[in-house]
Amino acid sequence: MKSQNKYRKFQLQQKNIEVLEKENTRFKRVYSEYENMSNDLWNLENSNGDPVPDDFINAMVMQATYLEEEIEDWLIQYNQNKSEIKN
């Protein structure tokens, strides 16, 4: 049994992500890049092939973290705007 992809941390906010992807092409590109990088990282860490240097994986993790932070900022702003509209 394979372990769950730990890089897929935004699964609970998929509805908001889908709205943001429709509204903003930059967000769509950032999120797409994050998904691709997350899948690549998970595959690298769970493959039985040739080992990948730790420096390479660490650089990918760092880039994925930057993308996560940007996505989180978008989601926070979106949620704040959504709650302001309700009030």
Side-chain angles (χ1 to χ4, degrees):
M1 184 166 115
K2 288 191 172 191
S3 61
Q4 186 175 1
N5 186 342
K6 67 183 178 182
Y7 298 107
R8 302 304 299 262
K9 72 183 266 181
F10 298 111
Q11 289 180 336
L12 298 176
Q13 299 185 53
Q14 269 319 115
K15 288 183 182 180
N16 293 343
I17 288 169
E18 289 171 11
V19 171
L20 281 168
E21 284 181 320
K22 289 177 185 174
E23 292 178 354
N24 192 300
T25 57
R26 176 166 166 67
F27 178 83
K28 185 175 183 173
R29 284 191 312 269
V30 168
Y31 190 74
S32 176
E33 181 66 24
Y34 170 75
E35 281 189 316
N36 291 334
M37 190 165 291
S38 296
N39 290 333
D40 290 345
L41 272 167
W42 190 83
N43 289 334
L44 285 172
E45 291 178 347
N46 291 287
S47 71
N48 293 328
D50 294 331
V52 178
D54 287 343
D55 289 345
F56 181 77
I57 290 179
N58 290 339
M60 286 185 69
V61 168
M62 186 181 304
Q63 181 62 33
T65 301
Y66 291 140
L67 293 170
E68 278 179 8
E69 289 172 1
E70 187 169 351
I71 292 165
E72 286 172 351
D73 289 345
W74 279 93
L75 289 168
I76 289 168
Q77 186 176 19
Y78 175 77
N79 288 327
Q80 286 175 343
N81 290 341
K82 201 163 76 170
S83 67
E84 288 174 4
I85 291 171
K86 287 183 179 180
N87 294 332

Coordinates of all heavy atoms in Angstrom, one line a residue:
M1 N 0.8 -1.2 0.0 CA 0.0 0.0 0.0 C 0.9 1.2 0.0 O 1.8 1.4 0.8 CB -0.9 0.0 1.2 CG -1.9 1.1 1.3 SD -3.2 0.8 2.5 CE -2.8 2.1 3.6
K2 N 0.6 2.2 -0.9 CA 1.4 3.4 -1.0 C 1.0 4.4 0.0 O -0.2 4.5 0.4 CB 1.3 4.0 -2.4 CG 2.0 3.2 -3.4 CD 2.1 4.0 -4.7 CE 3.0 3.3 -5.7 NZ 3.3 4.1 -6.8
S3 N 1.9 5.2 0.5 CA 1.6 6.2 1.5 C 0.9 7.4 0.7 O 1.1 7.6 -0.4 CB 2.8 6.7 2.2 OG 3.7 7.2 1.3
Q4 N 0.1 8.2 1.5 CA -0.6 9.3 0.9 C 0.4 10.4 0.6 O 1.4 10.6 1.3 CB -1.6 9.8 1.9 CG -2.5 10.9 1.3 CD -3.6 11.3 2.3 OE1 -3.7 10.7 3.4 NE2 -4.4 12.2 1.9
N5 N 0.2 11.2 -0.4 CA 1.0 12.3 -0.8 C 0.9 13.4 0.2 O -0.1 14.1 0.3 CB 0.6 12.8 -2.2 CG 1.6 13.8 -2.8 OD1 2.3 14.4 -2.1 ND2 1.5 14.0 -4.1
K6 N 2.0 13.6 1.0 CA 2.0 14.6 2.0 C 2.0 16.1 1.5 O 1.8 17.0 2.2 CB 3.1 14.4 3.0 CG 4.5 14.6 2.3 CD 5.6 14.3 3.3 CE 7.0 14.5 2.7 NZ 8.1 14.1 3.6
Y7 N 2.3 16.2 0.2 CA 2.4 17.5 -0.4 C 1.1 18.1 -0.9 O 1.0 19.2 -1.3 CB 3.4 17.5 -1.6 CG 4.8 17.1 -1.1 CD1 5.3 15.9 -1.4 CD2 5.6 18.0 -0.4 CE1 6.6 15.5 -1.0 CE2 6.8 17.7 0.0 CZ 7.3 16.4 -0.3 OH 8.6 16.1 0.2
R8 N 0.0 17.3 -0.8 CA -1.3 17.7 -1.3 C -2.1 18.3 -0.1 O -3.1 17.8 0.3 CB -2.0 16.5 -1.9 CG -1.3 15.8 -3.1 CD -1.0 16.8 -4.2 NE -2.1 17.4 -4.8 CZ -2.7 17.0 -5.9 NH1 -2.2 16.0 -6.5 NH2 -3.7 17.6 -6.4
K9 N -1.6 19.4 0.4 CA -2.2 19.9 1.6 C -3.5 20.8 1.4 O -4.1 21.2 2.3 CB -1.2 20.7 2.4 CG -0.7 22.0 1.8 CD 0.3 22.7 2.6 CE -0.2 23.6 3.6 NZ 0.8 24.3 4.4
F10 N -3.8 21.1 0.2 CA -4.9 22.0 -0.1 C -6.2 21.2 -0.5 O -7.1 21.9 -1.0 CB -4.5 23.0 -1.2 CG -3.4 23.9 -0.8 CD1 -2.2 23.8 -1.4 CD2 -3.6 24.8 0.2 CE1 -1.1 24.6 -1.0 CE2 -2.5 25.7 0.6 CZ -1.3 25.5 0.0
Q11 N -6.2 20.0 -0.3 CA -7.4 19.2 -0.8 C -8.7 19.6 -0.2 O -9.7 19.6 -0.8 CB -7.2 17.7 -0.5 CG -6.1 17.1 -1.4 CD -5.9 15.6 -1.2 OE1 -6.1 15.1 -0.1 NE2 -5.3 15.0 -2.2
L12 N -8.7 20.1 1.1 CA -9.9 20.5 1.7 C -10.4 21.8 1.2 O -11.6 22.2 1.5 CB -9.7 20.6 3.3 CG -9.3 19.3 3.9 CD1 -9.0 19.5 5.4 CD2 -10.4 18.2 3.8
Q13 N -9.6 22.5 0.5 CA -10.1 23.8 0.0 C -10.3 23.8 -1.6 O -10.2 24.9 -2.2 CB -9.0 24.9 0.3 CG -8.9 25.0 1.8 CD -8.0 26.1 2.2 OE1 -8.2 27.3 1.8 NE2 -7.0 25.9 3.0
Q14 N -10.6 22.7 -2.1 CA -10.7 22.5 -3.6 C -11.7 23.4 -4.2 O -11.5 24.0 -5.3 CB -11.0 21.1 -3.9 CG -9.8 20.2 -4.2 CD -8.7 20.8 -5.0 OE1 -7.6 21.0 -4.4 NE2 -8.8 21.1 -6.2
K15 N -12.8 23.6 -3.5 CA -13.9 24.5 -4.1 C -13.4 25.9 -4.3 O -13.6 26.6 -5.3 CB -15.1 24.5 -3.2 CG -15.9 23.2 -3.3 CD -17.2 23.2 -2.5 CE -17.9 21.9 -2.6 NZ -19.1 21.9 -1.9
N16 N -12.7 26.4 -3.2 CA -12.1 27.8 -3.3 C -11.0 27.9 -4.4 O -10.9 28.9 -5.1 CB -11.6 28.2 -2.0 CG -12.6 28.4 -0.9 OD1 -13.8 28.5 -1.2 ND2 -12.2 28.4 0.3
I17 N -10.2 26.8 -4.5 CA -9.2 26.8 -5.5 C -9.8 26.8 -6.9 O -9.3 27.5 -7.8 CB -8.3 25.6 -5.3 CG1 -7.4 25.8 -4.0 CG2 -7.4 25.3 -6.5 CD1 -6.7 24.6 -3.5
E18 N -10.8 26.0 -7.1 CA -11.5 26.0 -8.4 C -12.0 27.4 -8.8 O -11.9 27.8 -10.0 CB -12.6 25.0 -8.4 CG -12.1 23.6 -8.4 CD -13.2 22.5 -8.2 OE1 -14.4 22.9 -8.3 OE2 -12.9 21.4 -8.0
V19 N -12.6 28.1 -7.8 CA -13.1 29.5 -8.1 C -11.9 30.4 -8.5 O -12.0 31.1 -9.4 CB -13.9 30.0 -6.9 CG1 -14.2 31.5 -7.1 CG2 -15.1 29.2 -6.7
L20 N -10.9 30.3 -7.7 CA -9.7 31.2 -7.9 C -9.0 30.9 -9.3 O -8.6 31.8 -10.0 CB -8.7 31.0 -6.8 CG -9.0 31.8 -5.5 CD1 -8.1 31.3 -4.4 CD2 -8.9 33.3 -5.7
E21 N -9.0 29.6 -9.6 CA -8.4 29.2 -10.9 C -9.2 29.8 -12.1 O -8.7 30.2 -13.1 CB -8.3 27.7 -11.1 CG -7.2 27.1 -10.3 CD -7.2 25.6 -10.5 OE1 -8.2 24.9 -10.5 OE2 -6.0 25.1 -10.6
K22 N -10.5 29.9 -11.9 CA -11.4 30.5 -13.0 C -11.2 32.0 -13.0 O -11.3 32.6 -14.1 CB -12.9 30.1 -12.7 CG -13.2 28.7 -13.0 CD -14.6 28.3 -12.7 CE -14.9 26.8 -12.8 NZ -16.2 26.5 -12.4
E23 N -11.0 32.6 -11.9 CA -11.0 34.1 -11.8 C -9.6 34.6 -12.1 O -9.5 35.8 -12.5 CB -11.4 34.5 -10.4 CG -12.8 34.3 -10.0 CD -13.2 34.7 -8.6 OE1 -12.3 35.1 -7.8 OE2 -14.4 34.6 -8.3
N24 N -8.5 33.9 -11.9 CA -7.2 34.5 -12.0 C -6.2 33.5 -12.7 O -5.9 32.4 -12.1 CB -6.7 34.8 -10.6 CG -5.5 35.7 -10.6 OD1 -4.5 35.3 -11.1 ND2 -5.6 36.9 -10.0
T25 N -5.7 33.9 -13.8 CA -4.8 33.0 -14.5 C -3.5 32.8 -13.8 O -2.9 31.8 -13.9 CB -4.6 33.5 -16.0 OG1 -4.0 34.9 -15.9 CG2 -5.8 33.5 -16.8
R26 N -3.0 33.9 -13.1 CA -1.8 33.7 -12.4 C -1.9 32.7 -11.3 O -1.0 31.8 -11.1 CB -1.3 35.1 -11.7 CG -0.1 34.9 -10.9 CD 0.6 36.2 -10.5 NE 1.6 36.1 -9.5 CZ 2.7 35.4 -9.6 NH1 3.1 34.8 -10.7 NH2 3.6 35.4 -8.5
F27 N -3.0 32.7 -10.5 CA -3.2 31.7 -9.5 C -3.3 30.3 -10.1 O -2.7 29.4 -9.6 CB -4.5 32.0 -8.7 CG -4.8 30.9 -7.7 CD1 -4.2 31.0 -6.5 CD2 -5.6 29.8 -8.0 CE1 -4.4 30.0 -5.5 CE2 -5.8 28.8 -7.1 CZ -5.2 28.9 -5.8
K28 N -3.9 30.2 -11.3 CA -4.0 28.9 -11.9 C -2.7 28.4 -12.3 O -2.4 27.2 -12.1 CB -4.9 29.1 -13.2 CG -5.2 27.8 -13.9 CD -6.1 27.9 -15.0 CE -6.4 26.6 -15.7 NZ -7.5 26.7 -16.7
R29 N -1.8 29.3 -12.8 CA -0.4 28.8 -13.1 C 0.4 28.4 -11.9 O 1.1 27.4 -11.9 CB 0.3 29.9 -13.9 CG -0.1 30.1 -15.3 CD 0.9 31.1 -16.1 NE 1.2 32.3 -15.4 CZ 0.5 33.5 -15.5 NH1 -0.5 33.5 -16.3 NH2 0.9 34.5 -14.9
V30 N 0.3 29.2 -10.8 CA 1.0 28.9 -9.6 C 0.5 27.6 -9.0 O 1.3 26.7 -8.6 CB 0.8 30.0 -8.6 CG1 1.3 29.6 -7.2 CG2 1.6 31.3 -9.0
Y31 N -0.8 27.4 -9.0 CA -1.4 26.2 -8.4 C -1.0 25.0 -9.3 O -0.7 23.9 -8.7 CB -2.9 26.3 -8.2 CG -3.4 25.1 -7.4 CD1 -3.2 25.1 -6.0 CD2 -4.1 24.0 -8.0 CE1 -3.6 24.0 -5.3 CE2 -4.5 23.0 -7.2 CZ -4.3 22.9 -5.9 OH -4.7 21.9 -5.2
S32 N -1.1 25.1 -10.6 CA -0.7 24.0 -11.5 C 0.8 23.6 -11.3 O 1.1 22.4 -11.2 CB -0.9 24.5 -12.9 OG -0.5 23.5 -13.8
E33 N 1.6 24.6 -11.1 CA 3.1 24.3 -10.9 C 3.2 23.6 -9.5 O 4.0 22.7 -9.4 CB 3.9 25.6 -10.9 CG 5.3 25.5 -10.7 CD 6.0 24.7 -11.8 OE1 5.5 24.7 -12.9 OE2 7.1 24.1 -11.5
Y34 N 2.5 24.1 -8.5 CA 2.6 23.4 -7.2 C 2.1 22.0 -7.3 O 2.8 21.1 -6.8 CB 1.7 24.2 -6.2 CG 1.6 23.4 -4.9 CD1 2.6 23.4 -4.0 CD2 0.4 22.8 -4.6 CE1 2.5 22.7 -2.8 CE2 0.3 22.1 -3.4 CZ 1.3 22.0 -2.5 OH 1.2 21.3 -1.4
E35 N 1.0 21.7 -8.0 CA 0.5 20.3 -8.2 C 1.6 19.4 -8.9 O 1.8 18.3 -8.4 CB -0.8 20.3 -9.0 CG -2.0 20.6 -8.2 CD -3.3 20.4 -8.9 OE1 -3.3 20.7 -10.1 OE2 -4.2 19.8 -8.3
N36 N 2.1 20.0 -9.9 CA 3.2 19.2 -10.7 C 4.4 18.9 -9.8 O 4.9 17.8 -9.8 CB 3.6 20.0 -11.9 CG 2.5 20.0 -13.0 OD1 1.6 19.2 -13.0 ND2 2.6 21.0 -13.8
M37 N 4.8 19.9 -9.1 CA 6.0 19.8 -8.2 C 5.7 18.8 -7.1 O 6.5 18.0 -6.7 CB 6.5 21.1 -7.7 CG 7.8 21.0 -7.0 SD 8.5 22.6 -6.8 CE 8.9 23.1 -8.5
S38 N 4.5 18.9 -6.5 CA 4.1 18.0 -5.4 C 4.1 16.5 -5.9 O 4.6 15.7 -5.2 CB 2.7 18.4 -4.9 OG 2.7 19.6 -4.4
N39 N 3.5 16.3 -7.1 CA 3.5 15.0 -7.6 C 4.9 14.5 -7.9 O 5.2 13.3 -7.6 CB 2.7 14.9 -8.9 CG 1.2 15.1 -8.7 OD1 0.7 14.8 -7.6 ND2 0.5 15.6 -9.6
D40 N 5.8 15.3 -8.5 CA 7.1 14.9 -8.8 C 7.9 14.6 -7.5 O 8.6 13.6 -7.4 CB 7.9 16.0 -9.5 CG 7.4 16.2 -11.0 OD1 6.7 15.3 -11.5 OD2 7.7 17.3 -11.5
L41 N 7.7 15.4 -6.5 CA 8.4 15.1 -5.2 C 7.9 13.8 -4.6 O 8.8 13.0 -4.2 CB 8.1 16.3 -4.2 CG 9.1 17.4 -4.2 CD1 8.5 18.6 -3.4 CD2 10.4 17.0 -3.7
W42 N 6.6 13.6 -4.6 CA 6.1 12.4 -4.0 C 6.6 11.2 -4.8 O 7.0 10.2 -4.2 CB 4.6 12.4 -4.1 CG 4.0 11.3 -3.3 CD1 3.7 11.3 -2.0 CD2 3.5 10.1 -3.8 NE1 3.2 10.1 -1.6 CE2 3.0 9.3 -2.8 CE3 3.5 9.5 -5.1 CZ2 2.5 8.0 -2.9 CZ3 2.9 8.3 -5.3 CH2 2.5 7.5 -4.2
N43 N 6.7 11.3 -6.1 CA 7.2 10.2 -6.9 C 8.6 9.9 -6.7 O 9.1 8.8 -6.6 CB 6.9 10.5 -8.4 CG 5.4 10.4 -8.8 OD1 4.7 9.7 -8.1 ND2 5.0 11.1 -9.8
L44 N 9.4 11.0 -6.6 CA 10.9 10.8 -6.3 C 11.1 10.2 -5.0 O 12.0 9.3 -4.8 CB 11.6 12.2 -6.3 CG 11.8 12.8 -7.7 CD1 12.3 14.2 -7.5 CD2 12.8 12.0 -8.5
E45 N 10.4 10.6 -4.0 CA 10.6 10.0 -2.6 C 10.0 8.6 -2.5 O 10.4 7.9 -1.6 CB 9.9 11.0 -1.6 CG 10.7 12.3 -1.4 CD 10.0 13.2 -0.4 OE1 8.9 12.9 0.0 OE2 10.7 14.2 -0.1
N46 N 9.2 8.2 -3.3 CA 8.5 6.9 -3.2 C 8.9 5.9 -4.4 O 8.3 4.9 -4.5 CB 7.0 7.0 -3.1 CG 6.6 7.7 -1.8 OD1 6.7 7.0 -0.8 ND2 6.2 8.9 -1.9
S47 N 9.9 6.3 -5.2 CA 10.3 5.4 -6.3 C 11.3 4.4 -5.8 O 12.1 4.7 -4.8 CB 10.8 6.3 -7.4 OG 12.1 6.8 -7.1
N48 N 11.4 3.4 -6.6 CA 12.5 2.4 -6.3 C 13.6 2.5 -7.3 O 14.5 1.6 -7.3 CB 11.8 1.0 -6.4 CG 10.8 0.7 -5.3 OD1 11.0 1.2 -4.2 ND2 9.8 -0.1 -5.6
G49 N 13.6 3.5 -8.1 CA 14.7 3.7 -9.1 C 16.0 4.2 -8.5 O 16.2 4.1 -7.3
D50 N 16.8 4.8 -9.3 CA 18.0 5.4 -8.9 C 17.8 6.5 -7.9 O 16.9 7.3 -8.0 CB 18.8 6.0 -10.1 CG 19.3 4.9 -11.1 OD1 19.5 3.8 -10.6 OD2 19.4 5.2 -12.3
P51 N 18.6 6.5 -6.8 CA 18.4 7.6 -5.8 C 18.7 9.0 -6.4 O 19.5 9.2 -7.3 CB 19.4 7.2 -4.7 CG 20.4 6.2 -5.3 CD 19.7 5.6 -6.5
V52 N 18.0 10.0 -5.9 CA 18.1 11.3 -6.3 C 18.9 12.1 -5.2 O 18.6 11.9 -4.0 CB 16.7 12.0 -6.5 CG1 16.9 13.4 -6.9 CG2 16.0 11.2 -7.6
P53 N 19.8 12.9 -5.5 CA 20.6 13.6 -4.5 C 19.7 14.4 -3.6 O 18.7 15.1 -4.0 CB 21.5 14.5 -5.3 CG 21.6 14.0 -6.7 CD 20.3 13.2 -6.9
D54 N 20.0 14.4 -2.3 CA 19.3 15.2 -1.3 C 19.2 16.7 -1.7 O 18.2 17.3 -1.4 CB 19.9 15.0 0.1 CG 19.6 13.6 0.6 OD1 18.7 12.9 0.1 OD2 20.3 13.2 1.6
D55 N 20.3 17.2 -2.2 CA 20.3 18.7 -2.5 C 19.2 19.0 -3.6 O 18.5 20.0 -3.5 CB 21.7 19.1 -3.1 CG 22.7 19.1 -2.0 OD1 22.4 19.1 -0.8 OD2 23.9 19.2 -2.4
F56 N 19.0 18.1 -4.5 CA 18.0 18.3 -5.5 C 16.6 18.3 -4.9 O 15.8 19.1 -5.2 CB 18.1 17.3 -6.6 CG 17.2 17.4 -7.7 CD1 17.3 18.4 -8.7 CD2 16.0 16.6 -7.8 CE1 16.4 18.6 -9.7 CE2 15.1 16.7 -8.8 CZ 15.3 17.7 -9.8
I57 N 16.4 17.2 -4.1 CA 15.1 17.1 -3.4 C 14.8 18.3 -2.5 O 13.7 18.9 -2.5 CB 14.9 15.8 -2.7 CG1 14.8 14.6 -3.7 CG2 13.7 15.8 -1.7 CD1 14.7 13.3 -3.1
N58 N 15.8 18.7 -1.8 CA 15.7 19.9 -0.9 C 15.4 21.1 -1.6 O 14.6 22.0 -1.2 CB 17.0 20.1 0.0 CG 17.1 19.0 1.0 OD1 16.2 18.3 1.4 ND2 18.4 18.8 1.5
A59 N 16.0 21.3 -2.8 CA 15.7 22.5 -3.6 C 14.2 22.4 -4.1 O 13.5 23.5 -4.1 CB 16.6 22.6 -4.8
M60 N 13.8 21.3 -4.5 CA 12.4 21.1 -4.9 C 11.4 21.4 -3.7 O 10.4 22.0 -3.9 CB 12.1 19.7 -5.5 CG 12.7 19.6 -6.9 SD 12.3 18.0 -7.6 CE 10.5 18.2 -7.9
V61 N 11.7 20.9 -2.6 CA 10.9 21.1 -1.4 C 10.8 22.6 -1.1 O 9.8 23.1 -0.8 CB 11.4 20.3 -0.2 CG1 10.8 20.8 1.1 CG2 11.3 18.8 -0.4
M62 N 12.0 23.3 -1.2 CA 12.0 24.7 -0.9 C 11.1 25.5 -1.9 O 10.3 26.3 -1.6 CB 13.4 25.3 -1.0 CG 13.5 26.7 -0.6 SD 15.2 27.4 -0.7 CE 16.1 26.3 0.3
Q63 N 11.2 25.1 -3.2 CA 10.3 25.8 -4.2 C 8.9 25.4 -4.0 O 8.0 26.3 -4.1 CB 10.8 25.3 -5.6 CG 9.9 25.9 -6.7 CD 10.1 27.4 -6.8 OE1 11.1 28.0 -6.5 NE2 9.0 28.1 -7.2
A64 N 8.6 24.2 -3.6 CA 7.2 23.8 -3.3 C 6.7 24.6 -2.1 O 5.5 25.1 -2.1 CB 7.1 22.3 -3.1
T65 N 7.5 24.9 -1.1 CA 7.1 25.7 0.0 C 6.8 27.1 -0.4 O 5.8 27.7 0.1 CB 8.3 25.6 1.1 OG1 8.5 24.3 1.5 CG2 7.9 26.4 2.3
Y66 N 7.6 27.7 -1.2 CA 7.3 29.0 -1.7 C 6.0 29.1 -2.4 O 5.2 30.0 -2.2 CB 8.4 29.5 -2.7 CG 9.7 29.8 -2.0 CD1 10.9 29.5 -2.6 CD2 9.8 30.4 -0.7 CE1 12.2 29.7 -2.0 CE2 11.1 30.7 -0.2 CZ 12.2 30.3 -0.8 OH 13.4 30.6 -0.2
L67 N 5.7 28.1 -3.2 CA 4.4 28.0 -4.0 C 3.3 27.8 -3.0 O 2.2 28.5 -3.1 CB 4.5 26.9 -5.0 CG 5.4 27.1 -6.2 CD1 5.5 25.8 -7.0 CD2 5.0 28.3 -7.0
E68 N 3.5 27.0 -1.9 CA 2.5 26.8 -0.9 C 2.1 28.1 -0.2 O 1.0 28.4 0.0 CB 2.9 25.8 0.1 CG 2.8 24.4 -0.2 CD 3.3 23.5 0.9 OE1 3.7 24.0 2.0 OE2 3.4 22.3 0.7
E69 N 3.2 28.9 0.1 CA 3.0 30.1 0.8 C 2.2 31.1 -0.1 O 1.3 31.8 0.4 CB 4.3 30.8 1.2 CG 5.0 30.0 2.3 CD 6.4 30.5 2.6 OE1 6.9 31.4 2.0 OE2 7.0 29.9 3.5
E70 N 2.5 31.2 -1.3 CA 1.8 32.0 -2.2 C 0.3 31.6 -2.4 O -0.6 32.4 -2.3 CB 2.4 32.1 -3.6 CG 1.8 33.1 -4.5 CD 2.6 33.4 -5.8 OE1 3.7 32.9 -5.9 OE2 2.0 34.1 -6.7
I71 N 0.1 30.3 -2.5 CA -1.3 29.8 -2.6 C -2.1 30.1 -1.3 O -3.2 30.5 -1.3 CB -1.3 28.2 -2.9 CG1 -0.7 28.0 -4.3 CG2 -2.6 27.6 -2.7 CD1 -0.3 26.6 -4.5
E72 N -1.4 29.9 -0.1 CA -2.1 30.2 1.1 C -2.4 31.6 1.2 O -3.5 32.0 1.7 CB -1.1 29.8 2.3 CG -1.0 28.3 2.6 CD 0.1 28.0 3.6 OE1 0.8 28.8 4.0 OE2 0.1 26.8 3.9
D73 N -1.6 32.5 0.8 CA -1.9 34.0 0.7 C -3.1 34.2 -0.1 O -4.0 35.0 0.3 CB -0.7 34.8 0.2 CG 0.4 34.8 1.2 OD1 0.2 34.5 2.4 OD2 1.5 35.2 0.8
W74 N -3.2 33.6 -1.3 CA -4.4 33.8 -2.2 C -5.6 33.3 -1.5 O -6.7 33.9 -1.5 CB -4.2 33.0 -3.5 CG -3.3 33.6 -4.5 CD1 -2.0 33.5 -4.7 CD2 -3.7 34.5 -5.5 NE1 -1.6 34.2 -5.7 CE2 -2.6 34.9 -6.3 CE3 -5.0 35.1 -5.8 CZ2 -2.7 35.8 -7.3 CZ3 -5.0 35.9 -6.9 CH2 -3.9 36.3 -7.6
L75 N -5.5 32.1 -0.8 CA -6.7 31.5 -0.2 C -7.2 32.4 1.0 O -8.4 32.6 1.2 CB -6.4 30.1 0.3 CG -6.3 29.1 -0.9 CD1 -5.8 27.8 -0.4 CD2 -7.7 28.9 -1.6
I76 N -6.2 32.9 1.8 CA -6.6 33.8 2.9 C -7.3 35.0 2.4 O -8.3 35.4 2.9 CB -5.3 34.1 3.7 CG1 -4.8 32.9 4.5 CG2 -5.6 35.3 4.7 CD1 -3.4 33.1 5.1
Q77 N -6.7 35.6 1.4 CA -7.3 36.8 0.8 C -8.7 36.5 0.3 O -9.7 37.3 0.5 CB -6.4 37.4 -0.3 CG -6.9 38.7 -0.8 CD -5.9 39.3 -1.8 OE1 -5.1 38.6 -2.4 NE2 -6.0 40.6 -2.1
Y78 N -8.9 35.4 -0.4 CA -10.1 35.0 -1.0 C -11.2 34.8 0.1 O -12.3 35.3 0.0 CB -10.0 33.7 -1.8 CG -11.3 33.2 -2.3 CD1 -11.9 33.8 -3.4 CD2 -11.9 32.1 -1.7 CE1 -13.1 33.3 -3.9 CE2 -13.1 31.6 -2.2 CZ -13.7 32.2 -3.3 OH -14.9 31.7 -3.7
N79 N -10.8 34.1 1.2 CA -11.7 33.8 2.3 C -12.1 35.1 3.0 O -13.2 35.3 3.4 CB -11.1 32.8 3.3 CG -11.1 31.4 2.7 OD1 -12.0 31.0 2.0 ND2 -10.1 30.7 3.1
Q80 N -11.1 36.0 3.2 CA -11.4 37.3 3.8 C -12.4 38.1 2.9 O -13.4 38.7 3.5 CB -10.2 38.2 4.0 CG -9.3 37.6 5.1 CD -8.0 38.4 5.2 OE1 -7.6 39.1 4.3 NE2 -7.3 38.2 6.4
N81 N -12.2 38.1 1.6 CA -13.1 38.8 0.7 C -14.5 38.2 0.7 O -15.5 38.9 0.7 CB -12.6 38.9 -0.7 CG -11.4 39.8 -0.9 OD1 -11.1 40.6 0.0 ND2 -10.6 39.5 -1.9
K82 N -14.5 36.9 0.8 CA -15.8 36.2 0.8 C -16.6 36.5 2.1 O -17.8 36.7 2.1 CB -15.6 34.7 0.7 CG -16.7 33.9 0.3 CD -16.3 32.5 -0.2 CE -16.0 31.6 0.9 NZ -15.9 30.2 0.6
S83 N -15.9 36.6 3.3 CA -16.6 36.9 4.5 C -17.0 38.3 4.6 O -18.0 38.7 5.2 CB -15.7 36.5 5.7 OG -14.6 37.3 5.8
E84 N -16.2 39.2 3.9 CA -16.6 40.7 3.9 C -17.9 40.9 3.1 O -18.7 41.7 3.4 CB -15.5 41.5 3.3 CG -14.3 41.7 4.3 CD -13.1 42.4 3.7 OE1 -13.2 42.9 2.5 OE2 -12.1 42.5 4.3
I85 N -18.0 40.1 2.0 CA -19.2 40.2 1.2 C -20.4 39.7 1.9 O -21.5 40.3 1.8 CB -19.0 39.4 -0.1 CG1 -17.9 40.1 -1.0 CG2 -20.3 39.3 -0.9 CD1 -17.5 39.3 -2.2
K86 N -20.3 38.7 2.8 CA -21.4 38.2 3.5 C -21.9 39.2 4.6 O -23.0 39.2 4.9 CB -21.1 36.9 4.2 CG -21.0 35.7 3.3 CD -20.7 34.4 4.0 CE -20.6 33.3 3.0 NZ -20.3 32.0 3.7
N87 N -21.0 40.0 5.1 CA -21.3 40.9 6.2 C -21.8 42.2 5.7 O -22.2 42.8 5.0 CB -20.1 41.2 7.1 CG -19.7 39.9 7.9 OD1 -20.6 39.1 8.1 ND2 -18.5 39.8 8.2

